[in-house]
Amino acid sequence: MQGTIMITENIALVKKNMETACRKAGRNPDEASLIAVSKTKPIEMLREAYEAGCRDFGENKVQEIMDKYGQLPSDIRWHMIGHLQRNKVKYIVDKVFLIHSVDSYRLACEISKEAVKKGIEVNILVEVNVAEEESKFGAHREEVLELIENIAVLPGICVKGLMTIAPYVENAEENRQHFVNLRQLSVDIMSKNIDNVSMGILSMGMTGDYVVALEEGATYVRVGTGIFGDRK
Ligand SMILES: *Cc1c(COP(=O)(O)O)cnc(C)c1O
């Protein structure tokens, strides 16, 4: 079993914190959803989170999604949150609810191609490298609009919003401006009224900074450690 990690209690605490953060910011708590980031964690732990009410799970590896997908109930919404290689797109396009990590036109083309082949519509977010960190994936802020305009005309793929992985910081306040900037970018893009593009989703905030992200407009927070404990 999961030993000393109290997944059910952790989820309840995160949800309570989410509600408090939303209310503090004058937001309806229903606007924000929790993604339980279950990468590297065994099925039993995901099952406990499922029993505690989680239906959104985040994974960052194609192989891991494929392994876990068939072992858990089909009403789970799988979120691909990690860097996605083009040659692996075909394995997951029909299994995931949302791909958070599209940061290039070439990747979007591959998703479009596989979606058309399977006769499905794939929802994606464009990942933005808000802090311009060299070590991180994600499009740079100034290229995002053009990237989205190009993706918008591809068949079988639909842009639903933006995602970012903020820097690792000791004090979450240090990331507030990045979250403000991502939200502003989504407002700017929304104002362009691009066909086939909506900006309803803002995926931002992790264990260390999800409260601040919610105060600045996150609609999905992705929490791993805060639910399942440390990863090795
Ligand atoms: C691992 C991961 C998370 C969760 O990180 P925690 O700090 O454990 O909450 C969130 N988003 C992405 C993209 C990740 O890879």
Side-chain angles (χ1 to χ4, degrees):
M1 291 302 290
Q2 78 284 355
T4 56
I5 297 151
M6 299 185 291
I7 293 171
T8 305
E9 291 80 354
N10 289 345
I11 290 169
L13 179 63
V14 170
K15 285 197 171 156
K16 190 161 157 276
N17 292 341
M18 288 175 65
E19 187 174 337
T20 306
C22 286
R23 294 207 190 284
K24 183 178 163 200
R27 301 180 62 198
N28 180 345
D30 295 342
E31 290 171 20
S33 303
L34 173 62
I35 296 174
V37 176
S38 48
K39 61 190 186 197
T40 78
K41 299 298 178 183
I43 287 289
E44 306 81 71
M45 292 179 90
L46 279 73
R47 218 168 257 138
E48 182 172 347
Y50 182 90
E51 294 300 330
C54 280
R55 293 296 178 272
D56 292 276
F57 289 84
E59 292 282 346
N60 68 345
K61 294 218 160 67
V62 166
Q63 186 61 51
E64 211 171 333
I65 292 179
M66 291 169 68
D67 290 344
K68 289 173 173 174
Y69 178 85
Q71 299 187 59
L72 289 165
S74 58
D75 61 343
I76 287 179
R77 294 177 290 265
W78 293 98
H79 295 258
M80 176 57 185
I81 62 175
H83 182 64
L84 181 55
Q85 287 170 302
R86 280 178 293 141
N87 62 347
K88 294 188 176 160
V89 165
K90 56 179 175 289
Y91 300 118
I92 56 153
V93 275
D94 56 348
K95 298 185 177 61
V96 295
F97 175 74
L98 184 64
I99 300 174
H100 292 230
S101 45
V102 175
D103 63 356
S104 74
Y105 181 64
R106 293 202 315 165
L107 174 58
C109 287
E110 185 65 26
I111 293 169
S112 167
K113 191 184 94 191
E114 290 300 326
V116 168
K117 223 189 255 178
K118 294 186 162 74
I120 57 175
E121 185 83 18
V122 177
N123 291 328
I124 64 134
L125 305 179
V126 168
E127 178 174 353
V128 186
N129 186 347
V130 280
E132 316 258 305
E133 289 176 284
E134 287 200 8
S135 59
K136 290 234 171 93
F137 293 106
H140 290 265
R141 255 193 286 170
E142 60 281 1
E143 26 179 74
V144 173
L145 177 61
E146 192 184 338
L147 175 59
I148 288 178
E149 284 170 337
N150 290 333
I151 296 174
V153 296
L154 296 172
I157 182 168
C158 198
V159 179
K160 296 291 185 187
L162 304 179
M163 176 271 218
T164 198
I165 304 172
Y168 178 80
V169 289
E170 288 294 327
N171 178 356
E173 284 299 328
E174 293 173 48
N175 280 336
R176 187 179 294 275
Q177 193 59 46
H178 294 313
F179 297 140
V180 169
N181 291 345
L182 191 72
R183 173 149 195 282
Q184 188 55 52
L185 183 59
S186 88
V187 170
D188 292 346
I189 290 167
M190 199 160 52
S191 73
K192 308 281 183 200
N193 283 315
I194 306 164
D195 273 355
N196 199 36
V197 170
S198 64
M199 284 285 125
I201 299 180
L202 268 183
S203 170
M204 58 187 194
M206 306 172 26
T207 296
D209 56 17
Y210 69 89
V211 166
V212 174
L214 286 165
E215 288 169 4
E216 300 304 339
T219 67
Y220 275 126
V221 292
R222 311 177 306 266
V223 178
T225 313
I227 293 175
F228 298 106
D230 286 336
R231 290 177 296 273
K232 289 199 192 79

